[in-house]
Amino acid sequence: MKQYLAKSQPQETIQEHTDKLISNYNLLKTIYPNLKVDWDILKMACLYHDLGKMNRKFQDKICFGKICEDEIPHGILSLSFIPVKKLKLLGYSNDEIKILAHAIGYHHEREF
């Protein structure tokens, strides 16, 4: 299986980056258990936020410094991984799914 990078300096795969983020999520949840946050949606945002980096243009940028002017931000590409039908079957509302999509799509404040 191909290892997709999330970061180049130092090199870190998307899986390694996500594992670290989930570890921080668990720490936050332990330290602040009464924080008024939808922990399930936050965890899903952690899991899905960088999956859009699994594309040739992003990987070429990370690995070779190749810049493509028409590259779509990875946060936007990550939206395609959200299992909307499954979430609806699990009882998530359209508003909750929109919150998840916004958290993922805008996790870097970029204008595009």
Side-chain angles (χ1 to χ4, degrees), residues 2 41 46 51 57 62 67 82:
K2 180 167 174 58
I41 289 176
C46 292
L51 295 181
K57 290 180 181 181
I62 290 293
I67 304 296
I82 299 173

Side-chain angles (χ1 to χ4, degrees), residues 62-77:
I62 290 293
C63 296
F64 310 114
K66 184 178 175 185
I67 304 296
C68 293
E69 290 185 25
D70 63 344
E71 180 183 355
I72 298 170
H74 72 272
I76 300 302
L77 294 176

Side-chain angles (χ1 to χ4, degrees), residues 51-98:
L51 295 181
K53 290 181 175 180
M54 291 188 289
N55 73 79
R56 183 176 308 272
K57 290 180 181 181
F58 186 86
Q59 293 301 307
D60 284 349
K61 178 173 62 179
I62 290 293
C63 296
F64 310 114
K66 184 178 175 185
I67 304 296
C68 293
E69 290 185 25
D70 63 344
E71 180 183 355
I72 298 170
H74 72 272
I76 300 302
L77 294 176
S78 296
L79 296 174
S80 65
F81 289 90
I82 299 173
V84 174
K85 289 180 183 177
K86 180 179 179 181
L87 292 176
K88 286 184 177 186
L89 287 173
L90 291 171
Y92 286 89
S93 70
N94 286 334
D95 285 342
E96 289 169 319
I97 294 169
K98 284 180 186 178

Side-chain angles (χ1 to χ4, degrees), residues 5-46:
L5 294 179
K7 300 182 181 297
S8 60
Q9 295 297 328
Q11 272 196 358
E12 183 175 67
T13 66
I14 294 170
Q15 185 64 59
E16 291 166 338
H17 175 67
T18 302
D19 289 346
K20 287 180 183 178
L21 188 57
I22 293 298
S23 178
N24 286 333
Y25 161 88
N26 288 328
L27 182 61
L28 182 69
K29 192 172 178 181
T30 299
I31 295 171
Y32 299 104
N34 298 320
L35 196 63
K36 293 189 185 247
V37 170
D38 188 317
W39 293 105
D40 293 331
I41 289 176
L42 180 57
K43 187 172 187 178
M44 283 188 283
C46 292

